Amino acid sequence: MAHIRTWHLKVCLCVGTFLILLLVWGHVAQEGPKGALGLDLSPLFHGDLVRPPCRDRLVLLILVTSHPAHTEQRKVIRKTWAAQGAMATYPWQAVFLIGRTLDVELDWHIHKEHVANGDILMGNYLDTYRNLTLKVMHGLQWAAGTCQPRYILKTDDDCFVNTERLPAFLALSNQLREGLYVGSTFSREKRVVIRDPSSKWYVSKQSYEPDTYPPYASGIGYVLSLDVAKTVLAVAQATPPIPMEDAYVGILADRAGIKLLSSTRFAKHNLKWSICNYRYLMVIHRVSPAEQEVALGNVQLANTACTMNKEVTHW
Ligand SMILES: *[C@@H]1O[C@H](CO)[C@@H](O)[C@H](O)[C@H]1NC(C)=O
């Protein structure tokens, strides 16, 4: 009887040691090579570069990725959908994200543009398409660290943002005060990683091993709650960047277990829309400078012309 008990004890000890080893190994494997491959954002900040002031108690901060030479796009955006922030009931602010160029004259113009408008966040990275991820992560870091708005919208300078509705919608209708990551999503076939080195969207196996990206929101526009932005930035420190900023944010959110919400309020410009659609849409993609004013006019018209339609209060 006694020797059966010792035998039991030995098996128990053995299994126990094995389980502990497995646990330790799992932990070490998960940590990986100590974030060596992750994104280091500190070199993107440089004291000399211009940065805008943050308004108080922001409900929404809009980060607009902008090409340095897109002076016209920025000018029109300032006159149209970005014009009303200061007087809004639900405070919001729009900021343009621009990097360095190799053109001294253009850099000087951007500097002057900022002095006149105070709405440019310049980062210490070369402004190229393959550096778009640096641009967005730099913007997010500044937003989450300095401004701390309740929500952040990332969009582009060829988009129209429904600033008459989005801040109020976020403050009053949105139920997800935390854990919000919402935008226009892609089907699985459209999330296949492109391995053709000549493609604009090429990503190597070394940078990202799987063959498809996790679900992610299109870079035309996605909204993050402040906690999600902070989590995404933290995960980035241990995640090698890929040049597709929107897919990268999807990868980071996926790693953190943040669920992506799909919404048709973020859409490509469609001339067949009726006026009343402009009460529902929040971000419209492929809007030229000339079309920005028309889009704003449609939003304002929809405010008065569509009061018979019931307001949609969900994403
Ligand atoms: C991205 O920016 C960094 C820092 O300015 C620069 O060294 C690098 O060449 C840029 N990469 C690309 C692909 O443009």
Side-chain angles (χ1 to χ4, degrees):
M1 204 54 182
H3 97 268
I4 288 179
R5 241 183 259 142
T6 1
W7 181 79
H8 261 171
L9 200 71
K10 273 183 187 161
V11 170
C12 273
L13 270 173
C14 206
V15 169
T17 315
F18 177 73
L19 281 178
I20 286 168
L21 276 176
L22 202 70
L23 224 78
V24 168
W25 176 78
H27 195 67
V28 169
Q30 205 178 28
E31 290 241 312
K34 259 292 163 217
L37 301 163
L39 193 56
D40 180 10
L41 292 172
S42 50
L44 305 184
F45 288 83
H46 192 284
D48 292 348
L49 294 171
V50 298
R51 69 193 82 181
C54 310
R55 274 187 210 132
D56 283 340
R57 297 174 300 108
L58 282 176
V59 170
L60 175 68
L61 180 65
I62 306 172
L63 300 175
V64 188
T65 50
S66 187
H67 188 284
H70 284 183
T71 320
E72 182 62 21
Q73 279 87 335
R74 291 190 291 274
K75 196 170 146 194
V76 171
I77 287 173
R78 285 185 188 109
K79 279 200 303 191
T80 55
W81 62 258
Q84 301 297 324
M87 293 167 277
T89 317
Y90 304 99
W92 60 272
Q93 180 180 356
V95 166
F96 296 101
L97 308 180
I98 304 179
R100 287 189 190 275
T101 72
L102 298 173
D103 179 340
V104 182
E105 204 179 324
L106 185 54
D107 272 359
W108 171 238
H109 274 291
I110 292 164
H111 201 272
K112 276 207 310 202
E113 200 183 312
H114 175 74
V115 171
N117 303 286
D119 59 3
I120 293 174
L121 175 68
M122 219 175 180
N124 190 30
Y125 52 84
L126 199 60
D127 201 307
T128 61
Y129 188 75
R130 302 284 294 178
N131 263 348
L132 194 56
T133 298
L134 297 185
K135 174 176 280 202
V136 172
M137 298 310 284
H138 172 254
L140 283 179
Q141 175 70 57
W142 175 79
T146 308
C147 276
Q148 311 224 319
R150 269 156 65 186
Y151 301 95
I152 298 166
L153 165 70
K154 184 267 149 184
T155 188
D156 197 73
D157 67 5
D158 68 345
C159 294
F160 172 83
V161 180
N162 191 344
T163 46
E164 296 227 348
R165 296 206 162 252
L166 184 55
F169 178 86
L170 285 165
L172 305 173
S173 302
N174 169 54
Q175 303 289 314
L176 289 164
R177 303 253 150 160
E178 289 191 348
L180 180 68
Y181 171 31
V182 63
S184 160
T185 57
F186 300 102
S187 62
R188 198 186 161 79
E189 306 86 75
K190 294 209 172 133
R191 283 188 274 115
V192 172
V193 181
I194 293 167
R195 305 293 190 192
D196 171 9
S198 65
S199 165
K200 186 175 166 185
W201 297 289
Y202 166 68
V203 169
S204 70
K205 277 241 178 210
Q206 282 95 313
S207 305
Y208 189 70
E209 173 96 57
D211 292 325
T212 50
Y213 295 116
Y216 67 93
S218 161
I220 66 165
Y222 51 83
V223 177
L224 309 175
S225 51
L226 183 60
D227 61 304
V228 168
K230 287 181 175 169
T231 305
V232 155
L233 286 159
V235 179
Q237 288 176 23
T239 310
I242 57 162
M244 291 174 66
E245 64 87 11
D246 47 7
Y248 185 59
V249 170
I251 292 166
L252 301 174
D254 183 59
R255 288 201 175 174
I258 294 159
K259 211 170 155 275
L260 170 65
L261 198 64
S262 172
S263 174
T264 49
R265 289 179 183 271
F266 305 79
K268 199 172 96 185
H269 194 203
N270 188 332
L271 292 169
K272 283 181 269 174
W273 282 331
S274 77
I275 288 293
C276 295
N277 288 140
Y278 285 83
R279 289 218 310 172
Y280 173 80
L281 292 156
M282 294 302 181
V283 177
I284 306 171
H285 182 214
R286 298 239 181 114
V287 177
S288 68
E291 289 164 331
Q292 292 281 15
E293 214 150 325
V294 179
L296 183 62
N298 287 343
V299 163
Q300 285 160 348
L301 194 57
N303 279 339
T304 49
C306 304
T307 44
M308 298 293 280
N309 300 36
K310 202 165 174 292
E311 180 108 31
V312 184
T313 55
H314 59 79
W315 279 109

